[in-house]
Amino acid sequence: MIGVLALGGIGLAHLPFRPILNITPSEPYGLYDVALFNQAAPPKLQLGEMVLFYYIAPQWAIGRYDPTGSQFLKRVGAVPGEFLFTRKLQQWVCPADTFGKACRVLGRMMLRDPKGRPMHWPVWNGYRIPPGQYYMQSTLVPISYDSRYYGLVSKYQLIGHLHPLLTFGH
């Protein structure tokens, strides 16, 4: 279960922010403010930004994990124009302007999830991330369920930037 809870319906609607509570280990536990995106003109995200988005379950994950439409909290790990690679159970990204140089590891792939079920993942061999698509990841939990498994996130799935209000852990 993802554990991102919208709190607007429990008497907090009068606050000057839109609070959510993160109870997953992917990012520090706690209370965050959501700065909603203008859906008519979604922003161009930068590496490392923490965002909230609607998850779309890949076919293989339907019924195994969170349902389509769940809200996920992750950081931007790769942006449009960068190149993705899968090599030896790791996913890598290389910046567009330095193809083949200055590449960084996005994460190691799990063969099985914590319940022992086989995992699936996209295999990228020099795939250039198209405009309006983002690779989302947790930088805190190596076994996080993120873009390594469900693929890229579209700008149309984005909800807003997250700003920590009160966090603990990590």
Side-chain angles (χ1 to χ4, degrees):
M1 167 142 302
I2 193 61
V4 174
L5 304 173
L7 299 176
I10 61 170
L12 299 177
H14 65 281
L15 294 175
F17 54 89
R18 296 178 185 268
I20 64 159
L21 181 64
N22 178 43
I23 57 173
T24 69
S26 291
E27 294 295 337
Y29 301 107
L31 191 63
Y32 291 82
D33 176 28
V34 181
L36 298 176
F37 294 134
N38 175 353
Q39 291 303 315
K44 291 184 179 179
L45 300 178
Q46 303 298 315
L47 289 177
E49 285 186 81
M50 191 184 314
V51 297
L52 187 67
F53 61 93
Y54 293 110
Y55 164 73
I56 298 176
Q59 188 66 36
W60 69 267
I62 293 174
R64 283 178 67 169
Y65 304 108
D66 298 289
T68 290
S70 297
Q71 295 179 5
F72 276 26
L73 179 158
K74 301 286 182 195
R75 292 190 182 270
V76 177
V79 297
E82 292 188 303
F83 293 90
L84 295 170
F85 295 88
T86 305
R87 298 280 190 270
K88 296 183 180 180
L89 293 179
Q90 289 186 326
Q91 287 190 347
W92 295 73
V93 63
C94 298
D97 57 349
T98 60
F99 186 76
K101 302 175 186 171
C103 298
R104 62 191 187 280
V105 175
L106 291 167
R108 184 158 180 74
M109 310 304 292
M110 292 187 298
L111 294 175
R112 299 197 173 275
D113 70 12
K115 292 184 178 181
R117 298 174 293 197
M119 295 295 287
H120 303 266
W121 57 81
V123 175
W124 288 303
N125 293 308
Y127 180 77
R128 187 176 189 147
I129 300 174
Q133 300 282 310
Y134 298 92
Y135 185 103
M136 301 297 186
Q137 70 179 127
S138 167
T139 55
L140 299 176
V141 179
I143 62 167
S144 178
Y145 181 62
D146 55 27
S147 282
R148 288 175 287 179
Y149 307 104
Y150 53 72
L152 300 174
V153 171
S154 165
K155 66 182 179 181
Y156 300 109
Q157 294 170 250
L158 301 175
I159 299 169
H161 284 112
L162 290 168
H163 306 284
L165 296 172
L166 176 64
T167 61
F168 51 95
H170 298 292

